[in-house]
PDB file of all heavy atoms in Angstrom:
ATOM      1  N   LEU B1448     -33.939  -2.914   4.984  1.00 98.00           N
ATOM      2  CA  LEU B1448     -33.410  -2.999   3.611  1.00 98.00           C
ATOM      3  C   LEU B1448     -31.894  -3.173   3.588  1.00 98.00           C
ATOM      4  O   LEU B1448     -31.362  -4.071   2.919  1.00 98.00           O
ATOM      5  CB  LEU B1448     -33.807  -1.753   2.807  1.00 98.00           C
ATOM      6  CG  LEU B1448     -33.291  -1.694   1.371  1.00 98.00           C
ATOM      7  CD1 LEU B1448     -33.976  -2.750   0.539  1.00 98.00           C
ATOM      8  CD2 LEU B1448     -33.499  -0.319   0.768  1.00 98.00           C
ATOM      9  N   GLU B1449     -31.209  -2.336   4.383  1.00 97.00           N
ATOM     10  CA  GLU B1449     -29.748  -2.337   4.346  1.00 97.00           C
ATOM     11  C   GLU B1449     -29.165  -3.701   4.768  1.00 97.00           C
ATOM     12  O   GLU B1449     -28.272  -4.230   4.135  1.00 97.00           O
ATOM     13  CB  GLU B1449     -29.214  -1.224   5.246  1.00 97.00           C
ATOM     14  CG  GLU B1449     -27.773  -0.892   5.003  1.00 97.00           C
ATOM     15  CD  GLU B1449     -27.296   0.248   5.948  1.00 97.00           C
ATOM     16  OE1 GLU B1449     -28.117   1.039   6.384  1.00 97.00           O
ATOM     17  OE2 GLU B1449     -26.079   0.246   6.189  1.00 97.00           O
ATOM     18  N   ASN B1450     -29.740  -4.280   5.851  1.00 98.00           N
ATOM     19  CA  ASN B1450     -29.305  -5.589   6.309  1.00 98.00           C
ATOM     20  C   ASN B1450     -29.495  -6.666   5.261  1.00 98.00           C
ATOM     21  O   ASN B1450     -28.652  -7.524   5.059  1.00 98.00           O
ATOM     22  CB  ASN B1450     -30.050  -5.997   7.597  1.00 98.00           C
ATOM     23  CG  ASN B1450     -29.402  -5.408   8.823  1.00 98.00           C
ATOM     24  OD1 ASN B1450     -28.258  -5.018   8.793  1.00 98.00           O
ATOM     25  ND2 ASN B1450     -30.170  -5.312   9.897  1.00 98.00           N
ATOM     26  N   LEU B1451     -30.690  -6.641   4.643  1.00 98.00           N
ATOM     27  CA  LEU B1451     -31.029  -7.689   3.687  1.00 98.00           C
ATOM     28  C   LEU B1451     -30.149  -7.569   2.441  1.00 98.00           C
ATOM     29  O   LEU B1451     -29.609  -8.562   1.949  1.00 98.00           O
ATOM     30  CB  LEU B1451     -32.510  -7.579   3.316  1.00 98.00           C
ATOM     31  CG  LEU B1451     -33.476  -7.988   4.442  1.00 98.00           C
ATOM     32  CD1 LEU B1451     -34.867  -7.375   4.247  1.00 98.00           C
ATOM     33  CD2 LEU B1451     -33.584  -9.509   4.572  1.00 98.00           C
ATOM     34  N   VAL B1452     -30.031  -6.347   1.925  1.00 98.00           N
ATOM     35  CA  VAL B1452     -29.198  -6.148   0.714  1.00 98.00           C
ATOM     36  C   VAL B1452     -27.742  -6.453   1.025  1.00 98.00           C
ATOM     37  O   VAL B1452     -27.008  -7.052   0.230  1.00 98.00           O
ATOM     38  CB  VAL B1452     -29.397  -4.702   0.141  1.00 98.00           C
ATOM     39  CG1 VAL B1452     -28.374  -4.431  -0.954  1.00 98.00           C
ATOM     40  CG2 VAL B1452     -30.807  -4.545  -0.381  1.00 98.00           C
ATOM     41  N   GLY B1453     -27.303  -6.048   2.222  1.00 98.00           N
ATOM     42  CA  GLY B1453     -25.927  -6.320   2.638  1.00 98.00           C
ATOM     43  C   GLY B1453     -25.630  -7.793   2.705  1.00 98.00           C
ATOM     44  O   GLY B1453     -24.567  -8.279   2.336  1.00 98.00           O
ATOM     45  N   PHE B1454     -26.636  -8.555   3.162  1.00 98.00           N
ATOM     46  CA  PHE B1454     -26.500 -10.008   3.245  1.00 98.00           C
ATOM     47  C   PHE B1454     -26.284 -10.615   1.852  1.00 98.00           C
ATOM     48  O   PHE B1454     -25.369 -11.397   1.627  1.00 98.00           O
ATOM     49  CB  PHE B1454     -27.752 -10.600   3.903  1.00 98.00           C
ATOM     50  CG  PHE B1454     -27.880 -12.109   3.808  1.00 98.00           C
ATOM     51  CD1 PHE B1454     -27.142 -12.921   4.684  1.00 98.00           C
ATOM     52  CD2 PHE B1454     -28.685 -12.678   2.856  1.00 98.00           C
ATOM     53  CE1 PHE B1454     -27.217 -14.286   4.584  1.00 98.00           C
ATOM     54  CE2 PHE B1454     -28.779 -14.059   2.756  1.00 98.00           C
ATOM     55  CZ  PHE B1454     -28.060 -14.859   3.623  1.00 98.00           C
ATOM     56  N   VAL B1455     -27.135 -10.181   0.899  1.00 98.00           N
ATOM     57  CA  VAL B1455     -27.004 -10.701  -0.474  1.00 98.00           C
ATOM     58  C   VAL B1455     -25.665 -10.298  -1.069  1.00 98.00           C
ATOM     59  O   VAL B1455     -24.988 -11.110  -1.709  1.00 98.00           O
ATOM     60  CB  VAL B1455     -28.184 -10.176  -1.369  1.00 98.00           C
ATOM     61  CG1 VAL B1455     -27.965 -10.610  -2.802  1.00 98.00           C
ATOM     62  CG2 VAL B1455     -29.524 -10.661  -0.863  1.00 98.00           C
ATOM     63  N   SER B1456     -25.275  -9.043  -0.822  1.00 98.00           N
ATOM     64  CA  SER B1456     -24.032  -8.510  -1.387  1.00 98.00           C
ATOM     65  C   SER B1456     -22.841  -9.342  -0.905  1.00 98.00           C
ATOM     66  O   SER B1456     -21.904  -9.662  -1.670  1.00 98.00           O
ATOM     67  CB  SER B1456     -23.883  -7.035  -1.009  1.00 98.00           C
ATOM     68  OG  SER B1456     -22.783  -6.497  -1.686  1.00 98.00           O
ATOM     69  N   GLU B1457     -22.850  -9.690   0.369  1.00 98.00           N
ATOM     70  CA  GLU B1457     -21.778 -10.478   0.951  1.00 98.00           C
ATOM     71  C   GLU B1457     -21.722 -11.876   0.306  1.00 98.00           C
ATOM     72  O   GLU B1457     -20.650 -12.395  -0.008  1.00 98.00           O
ATOM     73  CB  GLU B1457     -21.965 -10.581   2.492  1.00 98.00           C
ATOM     74  CG  GLU B1457     -20.869 -11.293   3.230  1.00 98.00           C
ATOM     75  CD  GLU B1457     -19.467 -10.690   3.040  1.00 98.00           C
ATOM     76  OE1 GLU B1457     -19.389  -9.502   2.619  1.00 98.00           O
ATOM     77  OE2 GLU B1457     -18.482 -11.416   3.260  1.00 98.00           O
ATOM     78  N   CYS B1458     -22.918 -12.487   0.088  1.00 98.00           N
ATOM     79  CA  CYS B1458     -22.962 -13.780  -0.589  1.00 98.00           C
ATOM     80  C   CYS B1458     -22.364 -13.648  -1.970  1.00 98.00           C
ATOM     81  O   CYS B1458     -21.636 -14.521  -2.449  1.00 98.00           O
ATOM     82  CB  CYS B1458     -24.423 -14.284  -0.704  1.00 98.00           C
ATOM     83  SG  CYS B1458     -25.201 -14.635   0.851  1.00 98.00           S
ATOM     84  N   ALA B1459     -22.748 -12.557  -2.673  1.00 98.00           N
ATOM     85  CA  ALA B1459     -22.280 -12.359  -4.051  1.00 98.00           C
ATOM     86  C   ALA B1459     -20.768 -12.138  -4.086  1.00 98.00           C
ATOM     87  O   ALA B1459     -20.072 -12.635  -4.974  1.00 98.00           O
ATOM     88  CB  ALA B1459     -22.996 -11.167  -4.698  1.00 98.00           C
TER      89      ALA B1459
END
Side-chain angles (χ1 to χ4, degrees):
Chain B
L1448 178 69
E1449 196 180 334
N1450 275 340
L1451 291 159
V1452 171
F1454 169 79
V1455 174
S1456 187
E1457 184 57 19
C1458 295

